[in-house]
Amino acid sequence: MTAAAFVMLIVAGFASGLVGYVTGLASIVSYPALLFAGLSPLQANVTNTVALVPVGIGSSAQSGKALLTDKRSLVRLGILSALGGVVGAAILLVSPAESFEVVVPYLVAFASVAVLAQPFLRRLAGHREMPRSFEVGIFAVSIYGGYFGAGAGVIFLALSLVLTANPLWRASLLKSALLGISNLVAALIFAVSGPVHWTAALAMGIGCLAGGWFGPPIVRRLPPTPLRIVIGIAGLGLAVWLAIR
């Protein structure tokens, strides 16, 4: 890998970390950047999973105290995310990619619409929260995150905004932490069994760590409604890109 490609991946990693925390769409930057650097689709996929782990580390280090208000729930969700990451990584390594990627654009599009319709959906739910449905959803999305991951952040946000009463900034922080856990366990499996491009993962990981660190204070200062609309529209754009790529 050339020095220029290494620097490009650091910059792309920073953008991925920042965009990933703010919108949940880190892979819309990181995955194409890895392909542009010359990696094959499979190698870019597993390298992307490894490289995005620092996003969760950076954001959790920046605002970790806000996550600790309900430690028991956080531990339970973390375990579900880890188990989902293991299952998703195993599926990737033993099955053809086409068997799962066919439904990916539809999942991302559905989640993006849910983000856009969040106020209406929350009114339907009233003041009720649906923790069991939320936990099942976290496990399912963690499987997807361990398998492919592009758009997983948007799906996490949709689940949190619709099934819980979390404000957008806390939903973003929870999303980054849980996706970080799912990515971490999948990355450990890929480190042993997958074709990780370690130089590319290092370069992008450096940028992702910095981007994840700067994400939380930015989100807390942004108005939630315009940000939610941007996330939903960007998610629909990612769904179209995934469908035609």
Side-chain angles (χ1 to χ4, degrees):
M1 175 173 291
T2 65
F6 190 87
V7 172
M8 182 271 291
L9 288 177
I10 292 177
V11 175
F14 179 81
S16 299
L18 191 59
V19 170
Y21 183 84
V22 174
T23 68
L25 293 167
S27 292
I28 201 173
V29 178
S30 59
Y31 185 69
L34 290 166
L35 293 175
F36 184 75
L39 279 66
S40 68
L42 176 61
Q43 191 174 38
N45 188 14
V46 297
T47 302
N48 188 50
T49 298
V50 173
L52 291 180
V53 170
V55 176
I57 295 174
S59 61
S60 297
Q62 172 66 263
S63 298
K65 290 182 180 179
L67 282 173
L68 299 178
T69 54
D70 188 352
K71 295 180 182 179
R72 182 175 300 179
S73 176
L74 182 62
V75 169
R76 187 166 58 250
L77 293 175
I79 292 173
L80 289 172
S81 296
L83 292 175
V86 170
V87 174
I91 291 174
L92 177 66
L93 294 175
V94 302
S95 66
E98 295 81 5
S99 63
F100 197 77
E101 290 184 14
V102 170
V103 300
V104 166
Y106 300 99
L107 291 174
V108 176
F110 179 79
S112 301
V113 171
V115 170
L116 290 171
Q118 184 261 343
F120 172 73
L121 295 174
R122 280 306 300 169
R123 282 197 296 271
L124 289 179
H127 297 290
R128 294 173 297 167
E129 295 194 18
M130 291 160 271
R132 292 290 174 251
S133 299
F134 184 53
E135 291 173 359
V136 172
I138 290 297
F139 177 68
V141 178
S142 295
I143 294 175
Y144 168 49
Y147 180 89
F148 184 61
V154 172
I155 303 174
F156 262 105
L157 282 176
L159 286 172
S160 186
L161 292 174
V162 173
L163 300 180
T164 78
N166 285 324
L168 183 58
W169 70 267
R170 180 173 172 80
S172 296
L173 182 57
L174 185 63
K175 173 264 303 174
S176 293
L178 295 179
L179 266 183
I181 293 171
S182 175
N183 284 345
L184 176 60
V185 296
L188 292 174
I189 294 174
F190 293 152
V192 176
S193 307
V196 178
H197 192 299
W198 288 105
T199 304
L202 173 63
M204 184 156 283
I206 292 171
C208 284
L209 181 63
W213 175 267
F214 285 104
I218 291 176
V219 169
R220 290 190 181 190
R221 289 170 172 79
L222 294 176
T225 298
L227 178 58
R228 178 178 50 78
I229 293 172
V230 168
I231 292 170
I233 293 174
L236 290 174
L238 176 60
V240 172
W241 179 78
L242 290 171
I244 64 176
R245 70 181 180 85

